[in-house]
Amino acid sequence: MSIRTEFYNQKTIGILGGMSNHATGEYYRLLNDQLAEANNGNTGEIAIVSVNYGNIEHFVFNDLWSEAEAYLAEKLDRLEAARPDVVLCASNSMHLAFEPVISKRQTPYIHIVDPTGHAIREAGISRIGFLGTRFTMNSTKMHRRYLERWGVEIIVPDEQDRDLIDHITLQELCHGIVSPESKSEALDVVADLEERGAQGIILGCTELCLLLRPEDVPHLPAFDTTALHIAAAVDFVRGDDSLVSIGSRLRLAVGG
């Protein structure tokens, strides 16, 4: 085996994780796999601050979003101390607390909606079904970002199916439980959304990639927010910062 003699200078990716640790593990694994493939075997330079998921459950289940913002702000302080070149929050739901904090700072970050919205727009889709926790499925703020920045209308499951998907994500996947029964139920929800006019599906929880893959819905375009978020970070390391935000401003001119 030859010994490398050159030094490879690479940008550092910061991950605010632990929401849950299972999704964060996927971020770390996939980032390293994709960076190594793209950069001649060079894996990622990655800083991770991982939160206690039990605290996250306490905040969100008790509707304590201001407290969640304060908690993530302190964790972001710790992550920023590592001087990352860009920050990712490894959770769709916790973007509801993360975005108000990071948007007041000058730390570059990639909002999880933007790589997905960009991919959906590039695919020529304007109406899409969304699966995630009840917080993101019910979030007008999240839906508005898709619509106003990317021209994508979000439709969500009916109330009973929202409860089902929320249970699968928070009570099963976030605790490492993956079952064939839940996969079958989730695919039934996808089929219902398609009947209601969805032209594609957003896997809008970073744990959903543990249950469903785009190939599980071969007849309908599926957009995995985890995979697309990671791909945008890899693109950033390679020099493409078009999906990076600073403050509330996205570098890419999304209206064009």
Side-chain angles (χ1 to χ4, degrees):
M1 184 178 68
S2 61
I3 299 175
R4 287 182 52 187
T5 58
E6 78 277 12
F7 175 77
Y8 185 79
N9 189 29
Q10 187 178 129
K11 295 176 181 177
T12 298
I13 300 169
I15 300 176
L16 190 60
M19 304 170 279
S20 67
N21 59 300
H22 303 287
T24 306
E26 283 295 288
Y27 267 73
Y28 184 76
R29 181 181 68 83
L30 292 170
L31 276 170
N32 278 301
D33 287 352
Q34 292 183 29
L35 285 166
E37 182 178 353
N39 293 323
N40 194 31
N42 292 286
T43 55
E45 299 196 3
I46 300 169
I48 301 176
V49 170
S50 187
V51 308
N52 175 359
Y53 182 65
N55 287 335
I56 298 301
E57 286 188 322
H58 167 71
F59 294 135
V60 300
F61 291 154
N62 292 285
D63 202 27
L64 301 173
W65 290 97
S66 294
E67 289 83 352
E69 288 181 24
Y71 181 68
L72 292 189
E74 192 272 336
K75 301 305 178 186
L76 185 57
D77 290 342
R78 294 173 182 261
L79 185 57
E80 287 175 329
R83 299 176 63 188
D85 295 290
V86 73
V87 167
L88 311 179
C89 175
S91 166
N92 279 271
S93 297
M94 292 314 295
H95 267 70
L96 301 176
F98 168 76
E99 198 272 338
V101 174
I102 193 74
S103 65
K104 297 174 184 175
R105 307 189 183 199
Q106 291 302 303
T107 302
Y109 67 101
I110 302 175
H111 193 293
I112 201 165
V113 161
D114 295 327
T116 303
H118 182 259
I120 294 168
R121 189 174 74 173
E122 290 295 296
I125 292 172
S126 59
R127 194 163 191 256
I128 195 161
F130 187 98
L131 302 182
T133 68
R134 66 178 180 272
F135 309 109
T136 51
M137 288 188 288
N138 293 336
S139 171
T140 56
K141 184 175 183 180
M142 188 79 80
H143 300 176
R144 188 166 60 246
R145 191 177 184 104
Y146 276 108
L147 182 61
E148 293 180 354
R149 295 200 173 202
W150 302 106
V152 175
E153 178 189 358
I154 297 295
I155 61 174
V156 297
D158 62 29
E159 185 174 358
Q160 182 176 350
D161 284 344
R162 288 200 302 272
D163 288 343
L164 170 66
I165 296 298
D166 182 75
H167 174 84
I168 291 171
T169 55
L170 293 178
Q171 303 300 327
E172 296 181 14
L173 299 177
C174 285
H175 294 278
I177 301 169
V178 181
S179 76
E181 294 79 13
S182 292
K183 181 173 183 175
S184 178
E185 290 174 329
L187 289 173
D188 286 342
V189 176
V190 170
D192 182 69
L193 287 168
E194 184 178 12
E195 289 182 6
R196 291 171 50 205
Q199 300 166 306
I201 294 294
I202 296 173
L203 304 180
C205 175
T206 52
E207 284 79 21
L208 275 171
C209 65
L210 304 174
L211 185 72
L212 296 177
R213 303 285 184 181
E215 55 266 30
D216 291 322
V217 197
H219 59 291
L220 202 63
F223 299 86
D224 178 2
T225 57
T226 300
L228 291 164
H229 206 196
I230 289 165
V234 172
D235 288 343
F236 170 79
V237 170
R238 302 188 71 196
D240 180 359
D241 66 354
S242 60
L243 291 174
V244 172
S245 293
I246 298 179
S248 59
R249 180 175 58 86
L250 177 65
R251 287 185 184 274
L252 180 65
V254 299

